[in-house]
Amino acid sequence: MDALNLDFLPYLGGFAAFIGLLSKFGLGFFRTLDLHDKHFVRKPIARLRALRQAVSDDPALTAFFDQAIQTEAFRLATRIDTSKAKRDVLLELDKKGIWSRAQLKSISKFLTMLPGQPCPSISITRIDTAGAFISLTAALLTALAGVSQSFLLIITGLSSNPALIFAGAGTLLFFLIAVRFFMTDFADWIIVKRAQRQLKDC
């Protein structure tokens, strides 16, 4: 029986150090996000509430700031900056309980308000549809190239150079990120087609 190949052992230390550094970077990144949320994201709505109190004796301004606070609260909750009319459509969809924040953001890209229309509607053009299928094609070709290249590197690494196993895994990760990027337009199109069937006419 052939002896167990342990040539990969020297690389384990470096891999462990890489994982440790990655974890440390991730923790620092999330701490930065928390700091940003406390000092930059919440401040606008706090300022609007203070201004609303300052003009509480003026009904028109009070109503204006109430609307502004609602708009800002919606933006903070969904990361969608849009008009009241479009917000009402998104809230109607949200009541169904089947749409995530990311999906609502995708839907908001396709909401249009045409002249003479009483409320916004979802509009999908031929260009949108063509772009969605070009996106799908690019994602599939990228996935095929990524899997092939990664498979070759990993097979070569198992037989000769263990470092190529990590290179193959890294290559696969890179191509998966690229696939996710290319799939965005197609995923948005699928989400919006579903929403279009469920949204009631106003």
Side-chain angles (χ1 to χ4, degrees):
M1 182 180 293
D2 295 337
L4 183 64
N5 188 351
L6 299 178
D7 292 342
F8 66 90
L9 287 177
Y11 300 97
L12 287 180
F15 182 70
F18 172 75
I19 294 298
L21 287 173
L22 189 62
S23 301
K24 188 173 181 63
F25 173 78
L27 288 173
F29 176 72
F30 285 113
R31 288 194 188 101
T32 301
L33 284 181
D34 184 60
L35 181 67
H36 178 270
D37 179 65
K38 289 179 178 178
H39 296 281
F40 296 99
V41 175
R42 300 178 192 176
K43 186 174 287 187
I45 198 167
R47 186 182 297 116
L48 286 171
R49 285 173 176 165
L51 289 171
R52 194 242 184 234
Q53 290 179 354
V55 297
S56 58
D57 57 341
D58 188 326
L61 282 176
T62 299
F64 172 80
F65 279 110
D66 284 341
Q67 182 62 48
I69 290 170
Q70 291 175 13
T71 299
E72 186 64 19
F74 180 80
R75 187 185 69 81
L76 292 178
T78 63
R79 299 296 188 267
I80 301 172
D81 191 3
T82 189
S83 66
K84 179 183 182 303
K86 292 182 180 181
R87 186 178 79 230
D88 289 342
V89 173
L90 295 173
L91 289 174
E92 181 182 341
L93 286 170
D94 184 63
K95 288 178 183 177
K96 299 179 183 297
I98 60 174
W99 302 101
S100 68
R101 187 179 70 180
Q103 289 173 329
L104 289 175
K105 191 168 185 177
S106 295
I107 295 168
S108 70
K109 300 175 186 176
F110 292 82
L111 284 175
T112 59
M113 189 78 173
L114 299 176
Q117 203 173 22
C119 68
S121 62
I122 293 176
S123 175
I124 305 175
T125 66
R126 291 181 180 178
I127 294 177
D128 294 328
T129 301
F133 282 95
I134 290 172
S135 165
L136 176 62
T137 302
L140 291 175
L141 292 175
T142 302
L144 180 62
V147 170
S148 302
Q149 183 67 26
S150 301
F151 181 76
L152 288 174
L153 286 171
I154 291 172
I155 292 299
T156 304
L158 289 172
S159 60
S160 60
N161 185 359
L164 293 178
I165 298 175
F166 297 111
T171 299
L172 181 60
L173 178 61
F174 172 80
F175 274 95
L176 287 176
I177 293 172
V179 168
R180 176 66 184 86
F181 172 77
F182 285 127
M183 278 292 290
T184 299
D185 288 343
F186 183 74
D188 286 346
W189 183 81
I190 290 292
I191 291 168
V192 172
K193 291 288 286 186
R194 286 178 53 206
Q196 194 175 45
R197 289 193 295 266
Q198 294 184 9
L199 191 61
K200 297 178 181 178
D201 293 333
C202 58

